[in-house]
Each structure stands twice: as C-alpha cells, then as structure tokens.
Amino acid sequence: MKEDEIIINTIRFLSVDQVERAKSGHPGMPLGAAHVGYIIFDRFLKFNPKNPRWINRDRFVLSAGHASALLYSLLFLNGYDISIEELKRFRQLDSITPGHPENILTPGVEVTSGPLGQGFGNSVGMAIAERYLSSYFNREGFNVIDHYTYVLASDGDLMEGISSEAAALAGHFKLNKLIVIWDNNKVTIDGPTSLAWSENVLERFHALGWYVQDIEDGYNLSKIEDAVRNAREQKDKPSFIAVRTHIAYGSRLQDDSRAHGAPLGKEVVEEMKKKFNWPLEEFYIPEEAWRYREEKIKNGVKMEEEWRRIFERYRENYPDLADLLLRCFNRDWGKEYKKYLPVFTEGMATRAASGKVLNAIAKHIPTMLVGSADLFESTNTYLHGLGDFQADNPLGRNIHYGVREHAMGAIMNGMAYHGGILPCGGTFLVFSDYMRPTIRLAAMAGLQVIYVFSHDSVWIGEDGPTHQPVEQLSSLRLIPNLWVIRPCDPNEVSVAWEIAIERKDGPTAIILTRQKVPVLDRNIYPTADNIKKGAYVLADTDSSPDIVILASGSEVHLALQAKRMLEDKGIKTRIVNMASFEIFEQQEEKYKLEVIPRNVRKVAIEAGRGLCWYKYVGENGLVISIERFGKSAPYQDLIKDFGFEGEKILYEILGHFKIS
C-alpha cells in the first residue's frame, strides 16, 4: 500500500473500532470521508499538535459532529495528545472522546459541534475574526495573523437553515479564507436525501457568492487536493467544494442509511477489513502510521517555531501591537475601559444607557466587535464612528447580520472559538428564541460572548404579544453557565457591562428595557456595584423585616413603591434587587441568607413567568408575575391591565398573607 492509503485506512478502521467498542456511534461518515479529512490535515492544515491553541494555526471544523470518531482518529494520527486508550474509551464516562466533539475536552477540537449547521455558522465567525485581526495587526513583512478555516460539512448541515443564513453573510463579506467541503453522500439517518431534499446545492452557493467546485469522483485524492488548492487561490470569495462520497464506503452497508448512526457489527467489520487487506486486530496501527505521527509532530513544532521567529521580530518593531495581540488571545481586555464607564444622573431606558456605555468603552477595547440582527437602532448597539465591517472595510467594528438571529449567534460563537475577539450582539429579548441553540452551545463551550437583549417585557407595548417576551427570561435562566443580568437602572447597566467583559468562562446576557426607568439616588441606596454579587439589599428597614420583596429590572422601582405603601401600614419591608440569579447563586451561603433570610414572608415581582422565583420565596410565598401572553396597547395601559401598579401590588400582598 502507498502511504496515503495506509494512513486513510488507519483512520477508517480506528474510527470503526471506536464505534464497535462503544456499541454506539456513527461509522458511516468516517468510512466515507476519512480521505477528505486526511487530505486537509496532510496537505494543507497548518497546526502544531503540541500547542493546539497556537494563535496562527489553521482551523478545522467538523460541522458534522456525529462523525466525531473520524475527528479523534485524525487528531491521534496527527500527533495530538489523544492516546489509544482514549480512543478505546470513545463515548464512555469521563473520556476525552465524547459522542460529539467538545472543544473544552479534547486537544485539537476547535468547536463543540453536533447540532447540525452550528459548526458551519461558527466557521463564518472564525473567518470574520481572521479577516479583522489580520487587518488590524499585520504590518508589511509581518503577517502574524494569516490562516484558513476548513470545514467538513454533511448533507444535514446544509439542510439546516442556519447554513444558508451564515453562507449568505460569508459570501457578502467575501471571506476568501473560508473553505467548506461538503461530504455529499446523499444519505441521512432516515434514508436517501431525496426523501426531503431536491434543491441544487451548488447553485445555492453560487448564488450566495461562493466559488463552487464539484468533484463527482469523490475518491480521487489528486482531484480533492487540486480543488482545495484552487480554493486557497481565491481572493474575493469563500469556497464550497462538493465531494461525492459514499456512506460506509467499502462495507456491505455502503449507501445504506442503517450505517449512519449504529455500529456495523463484528461480522461486517471483519468482512470489510479483509476486503481492504487490513489486520483483524482491533485498534491496529501499522508502523507507517506511528512514523507518520512522529513526523507530523516534528513538522507542527517547526511551523510554530518559524512563526515565533517572525513574531519576535514583529514584537521588536511593534511592541504595543504584539502585547495587545497576546492579551486579546488571553481574553485580557485591559482595564482602561473601566475609566470610561459612564455614571448616569438622569433616567432613561436601560437600552439607551447600554448604548452610551458601549460607545464610551468600545474604543478602549479595539477587538470588540458588535453586531445586530437588523436592530442596531432599536437595541442601541451601534458603535458610532467605528465603521461597518464589510468586504472593503475589514476594520469596521459594527457587523450587520441582517435578519438572521440564528446565524448571528453561531457566528459570534465562532469569533469566540477563534480567539482574540470579544463578540457582542443585540436583538429583542423575544428573538432570543431564534438564537437559543447557539446560546446553549456558548454556555456549554465556555465562550465569552455578550448578548444584548432589549425590549425586555410586555411593557414594549403596541407591538403586541408576538414581540412581548413573557417566558424568555425564565427560559434563559435555565441554561447552565449563562449569566443573565437584568439591571434596574442606568448605573447598573454600566456595572453589567463590566461584569460581562470581566467574565471569561461563559456567555452573559444583559436584559434591557424599552421604556424609561428612573436613576436610583446612590446617596440613598447602595452602590450599583452591588450587582456584582447578583442580588443585594437595596432598601431595608431598621429592624428585622416583616416582608422581603424581590424584584429585577424595571420592577425594582415598583417594589420600592410597594415598600413605601406597606410601611405606611406599619409593615417593615426589605427590597432585594435580584439582578442576576446565577451570580447570586455563586455567593457564600452566609451572604445569601443575609440578603434573603429564611423565616420571613417573601414576595417576588417580575413582568414575566414566575415559576423560577419560588426557589427564593418558598411555596407559601407570593409571586406577582405574568402568566399569559401580552396584548397590543400603550405600555401604560398594559401596566394597569396586568395590575403592575403600587396600590394593586399592595393589596395583592396584603390579601395573600392575610394582613389586615
């Protein structure tokens, strides 16, 4: 056998053996596309397996995350720190070879993929990051940022709508360093793709502004290699390469949907190994493959060493830029921006306050890119004077995603996966539903992404129930590792931004009002910095409270009204500002009990579903919430209609606790 064939077959059978040993997994695509992964890694990919986070590596995204066994085999044979034992522990408890790739677990895995289409969207974010950072940092003779993003995508990836959303932007931005290879095997889990899919995919990508190539003879290695070389030569288009492959290639289940997501079985595997003149031994690795692995390690180390020599000369000539580049990839956004966090003295919508904060600090975080899904003006996320990111203006700081919330979420994740960029994006809170899969993955992958969700309640008024969020706040709070912050006044918005920028290990959602809210007098009330603890006592009584009222956002001001009315009746009342449940839960138990004592009557007020509040008020507590969809009307009328007025709140509290 030639070396190419030996290594490709090693990849195939290591992948199949992983699935057989685990008794679960997806053998079809690894068998059908092993040669594609091999060509990318062997002929083109720039990487150092000894430093998987090398700044200037090429990125390889397995968007079809179900083919994870293929990726682990590729990474093992290319020298990454994955052992044979870990391949044998595929899909087992606490292994680094989980059923779908996870970037925080496995060296060399760039993105957490599996939900189809997400990796495709991530790759567009990576290409945007490369374009912006190379434009910002590179100088003549010093291309310190200069790399490609390669994607291996499946039929399912391309069926998902997010791939079209993201591809449209990639074509519009002319992201020529993005190369997508389509594993065109014409089979999905339910059967042939013809059951549900008859579009001309090549024409779709051509229409979206991509350079398109089609390889009918999908196992001709030289044709695949030539196509990738052609793609790399493109100057103003991303590239899409269709490669006609066969699921479960070489087995009796070739082109059969049964091979998609289940082990082939011992008999089929042995039969196939004999067909390929491969030893029947499980996890067999020929000597040629071991030598290949060692050579890839040496080559990778050499690649990074060559880059480091260039970088050291770059540092000598441009020390400030070099320092900034390294800090950005360490997610160190500096402290300078904190000097410019506004202090507010006048009331305004918290979305307006957020816009003022962003425009005050963004120029001091030069790799912060802010975008919106066609709602810059409404979400106040536009960075004035900093330009629009476009093909002819790669240093623009504002990204126009168009009406594509789902793609926006995935692309922001891609920028965070790439590193060096602090991605922020805005839309209405109700449309967080369109982004939910991407928010979940950002939280799972520990990505620093900042979401600006404005128009935070039914108080947006006339737009009506289709645009009025009711359940979204609670649903976002259910996502592990997502911090949700709902500030009650403009000064808390400043602090919320500081929290989000300083948080490095996960995403943060800042929830903002459309309607104007007052500024709290911090000479009377505690400083806004207290939301750094998630919740704090905003207003107290001179002795133990009879009632504790918990509230967030605009309802904090309603709670303060209720406190005055209750105390007029001799009822000692404490107000707790619950800006962030997640941050509050990280505090010591002693602090939490000081803020929300156990043996006291409790009330929660929030203009949304109330179920999550019962953890804090208890089963006998009162939650004043909105448990139905809204109505189209001026928000002042809605406030009356839903009973969110001081006097109505007062009597609801008195009635619930039977206080005369």
Side-chain angles (χ1 to χ4, degrees):
M1 291 184 190
K2 295 179 181 179
E3 182 177 81
D4 286 345
E5 189 177 352
I6 291 171
I7 304 305
I8 291 169
N9 283 337
T10 304
I11 294 166
R12 285 177 177 143
F13 290 114
L14 281 179
S15 301
V16 167
D17 287 345
Q18 289 177 67
V19 175
E20 290 299 313
R21 171 71 70 94
K23 296 182 172 59
S24 74
H26 301 75
M29 185 174 173
L31 282 173
H35 64 301
V36 177
Y38 168 73
I39 287 293
I40 295 171
F41 271 81
D42 184 74
R43 309 290 206 265
F44 299 103
L45 207 67
K46 178 173 60 179
F47 64 96
N48 177 9
K50 291 302 181 184
N51 180 13
R53 297 302 173 193
W54 170 30
I55 288 172
N56 199 41
R57 69 190 182 279
D58 290 330
R59 273 68 171 173
F60 174 76
V61 174
L62 179 67
S63 190
H66 56 272
S68 58
L70 167 62
L71 180 56
Y72 304 144
S73 299
L74 281 166
L75 294 173
F76 167 76
L77 282 168
N78 281 280
Y80 285 88
D81 190 16
I82 299 174
S83 67
I84 286 291
E85 289 306 310
E86 285 296 342
L87 296 182
K88 292 178 179 178
R89 291 189 344 108
F90 178 59
R91 287 182 160 232
Q92 304 308 300
L93 183 65
D94 295 329
S95 75
I96 63 167
T97 49
H100 291 83
E102 299 178 41
N103 72 304
I104 58 175
L105 279 183
T106 315
V109 170
E110 296 286 359
V111 308
T112 296
S113 62
L116 291 173
Q118 294 296 324
F120 190 111
N122 298 157
S123 71
V124 176
M126 290 176 161
I128 289 173
E130 196 279 341
R131 173 71 61 81
Y132 179 83
L133 293 171
S134 62
S135 301
Y136 189 92
F137 286 103
N138 289 356
R139 295 294 182 269
E140 186 175 354
F142 296 103
N143 287 345
V144 291
I145 301 293
D146 182 12
H147 52 261
Y148 288 83
T149 299
Y150 297 90
V151 183
L152 182 55
S154 65
D155 299 302
D157 285 298
L158 302 184
M159 288 183 187
E160 288 284 359
I162 190 173
S163 68
S164 291
E165 292 182 26
L169 271 174
H172 176 73
F173 292 146
K174 301 182 179 180
L175 300 174
N176 63 298
K177 289 190 174 179
L178 174 60
I179 300 172
V180 174
I181 300 177
W182 172 27
D183 174 44
N184 179 19
N185 64 33
K186 299 185 185 296
V187 175
T188 57
I189 194 168
D190 277 349
T193 56
S194 58
L195 291 169
W197 207 29
S198 54
E199 71 172 296
N200 189 317
V201 176
L202 301 180
E203 286 186 5
R204 184 219 301 185
F205 278 84
H206 180 76
L208 294 176
W210 289 57
Y211 175 64
V212 177
Q213 300 174 81
D214 185 19
I215 303 174
E216 275 296 327
D217 182 5
Y219 293 92
N220 186 317
L221 299 187
S222 63
K223 286 188 176 181
I224 297 172
E225 183 175 350
D226 288 345
V228 176
R229 292 196 190 283
N230 291 339
R232 286 168 57 94
E233 291 173 2
Q234 299 307 306
K235 301 302 179 187
D236 61 357
K237 290 183 178 182
S239 285
F240 183 79
I241 305 170
V243 180
R244 177 66 173 105
T245 60
H246 297 275
I247 195 169
Y249 177 76
S251 78
R252 77 166 78 150
L253 291 177
Q254 180 173 312
D255 297 324
D256 191 321
S257 63
R258 289 176 295 170
H260 171 86
L264 301 175
K266 182 178 180 181
E267 181 181 332
V268 174
V269 172
E270 288 186 354
E271 177 185 277
M272 183 172 48
K273 287 181 177 179
K274 290 175 183 176
K275 178 178 178 180
F276 280 90
N277 295 315
W278 200 255
L280 298 182
E281 176 188 339
E282 189 185 34
F283 292 96
Y284 171 75
I285 301 172
E287 284 301 317
E288 294 92 335
W290 285 114
R291 289 196 296 271
Y292 180 86
R293 188 176 194 271
E294 288 303 311
E295 193 64 27
K296 296 300 285 187
I297 292 172
K298 291 177 184 176
N299 289 342
V301 171
K302 182 180 178 182
M303 284 184 195
E304 183 173 356
E305 286 176 347
E306 290 172 354
W307 177 84
R308 288 195 176 277
R309 283 193 288 271
I310 295 170
F311 185 79
E312 287 308 313
R313 298 203 310 273
Y314 175 77
R315 190 201 294 269
E316 291 170 6
N317 287 272
Y318 306 102
D320 292 341
L321 279 175
D323 178 64
L324 177 62
L325 176 62
L326 295 177
R327 286 197 294 106
C328 289
F329 273 90
N330 286 324
R331 285 173 289 182
D332 175 3
W333 313 114
K335 304 300 179 187
E336 186 70 13
Y337 80 91
K338 293 185 182 183
K339 300 175 184 177
Y340 300 92
L341 287 166
V343 176
F344 296 94
T345 57
E346 296 181 2
M348 64 186 71
T350 53
R351 65 167 176 161
S354 175
K356 292 180 182 296
V357 174
L358 257 181
N359 276 277
I361 66 176
K363 60 179 68 74
H364 305 289
I365 308 176
T367 64
M368 172 189 273
L369 298 185
V370 181
S372 180
D374 200 48
L375 288 170
F376 268 124
E377 183 176 352
S378 296
T379 57
N380 290 107
T381 44
Y382 194 78
L383 302 179
H384 298 285
L386 295 182
D388 299 329
F389 181 89
Q390 293 291 338
D392 60 356
N393 185 31
L395 286 173
R397 303 274 299 280
N398 296 286
I399 300 180
H400 292 268
Y401 290 102
V403 188
R404 302 183 183 101
E405 293 89 353
H406 199 182
M408 177 174 76
I411 290 168
M412 287 197 294
N413 286 356
M415 287 189 267
Y417 281 125
H418 179 279
I421 300 290
L422 177 57
C424 313
T427 188
F428 293 172
L429 177 58
V430 74
F431 298 140
S432 64
D433 288 347
Y434 281 139
M435 299 175 62
R436 191 174 182 85
T438 70
I439 299 170
R440 183 175 188 267
L441 285 171
M444 190 182 299
L447 301 178
Q448 186 174 15
V449 177
I450 302 174
Y451 308 107
V452 179
F453 292 136
S454 69
H455 296 60
D456 72 346
S457 68
V458 296
W459 313 143
I460 72 172
E462 292 87 344
D463 279 342
T466 60
H467 284 53
Q468 294 168 352
V470 173
E471 72 278 19
Q472 280 72 21
L473 255 176
S474 291
S475 69
L476 289 174
R477 287 170 177 151
L478 292 175
I479 299 175
N481 199 39
L482 172 67
W483 286 8
V484 180
I485 307 175
R486 191 174 182 229
C488 80
D489 83 337
N491 286 310
E492 288 191 356
V493 173
S494 271
V495 181
W497 271 104
E498 182 185 353
I499 292 169
I501 292 167
E502 293 304 309
R503 187 188 185 204
K504 315 297 184 188
D505 58 356
T508 304
I510 303 175
I511 314 298
L512 303 166
T513 68
R514 177 178 184 262
Q515 79 277 13
K516 182 177 179 179
V517 295
V519 168
L520 293 176
D521 184 347
R522 298 296 173 168
N523 293 314
I524 298 172
Y525 299 106
T527 173
D529 271 0
N530 280 282
I531 69 165
K532 292 177 181 177
K533 294 183 178 179
Y536 66 100
V537 177
L538 178 66
D540 212 355
T541 181
D542 54 6
S543 59
S544 297
D546 300 315
I547 286 179
V548 174
I549 301 178
L550 318 174
S552 76
S554 54
E555 287 74 71
V556 168
H557 304 279
L558 180 58
L560 290 170
Q561 290 179 34
K563 172 181 169 66
R564 289 191 288 271
M565 294 178 179
L566 286 165
E567 292 190 334
D568 284 344
K569 293 183 173 293
I571 301 167
K572 297 175 181 178
T573 306
R574 170 183 292 181
I575 304 300
V576 174
N577 179 359
M578 291 283 292
S580 174
F581 289 23
E582 300 78 25
I583 301 175
F584 182 63
E585 287 300 326
Q586 294 191 355
Q587 308 309 309
E588 293 182 356
E589 194 66 21
K590 179 182 177 183
Y591 175 77
K592 290 192 283 188
L593 289 174
E594 287 172 354
V595 174
I596 308 175
R598 283 201 177 97
N599 298 316
V600 64
R601 291 171 287 194
K602 302 180 190 75
V603 179
I605 307 173
E606 188 171 73
R609 295 296 302 273
L611 186 63
C612 61
W613 286 95
Y614 283 97
K615 174 177 182 177
Y616 300 106
V617 304
E619 61 180 348
N620 297 317
L622 171 63
V623 177
I624 300 171
S625 58
I626 294 178
E627 300 299 322
R628 57 184 173 87
F629 293 118
K631 299 178 181 179
S632 176
Y635 87 89
Q636 297 92 339
D637 295 339
L638 292 174
I639 285 174
K640 293 178 182 178
D641 189 68
F642 281 101
F644 274 67
E645 295 179 298
E647 192 168 346
K648 289 185 178 179
I649 296 293
L650 169 68
Y651 286 110
E652 194 164 349
I653 293 171
L654 295 177
H656 180 83
F657 292 113
K658 298 179 173 56
I659 301 172
S660 58

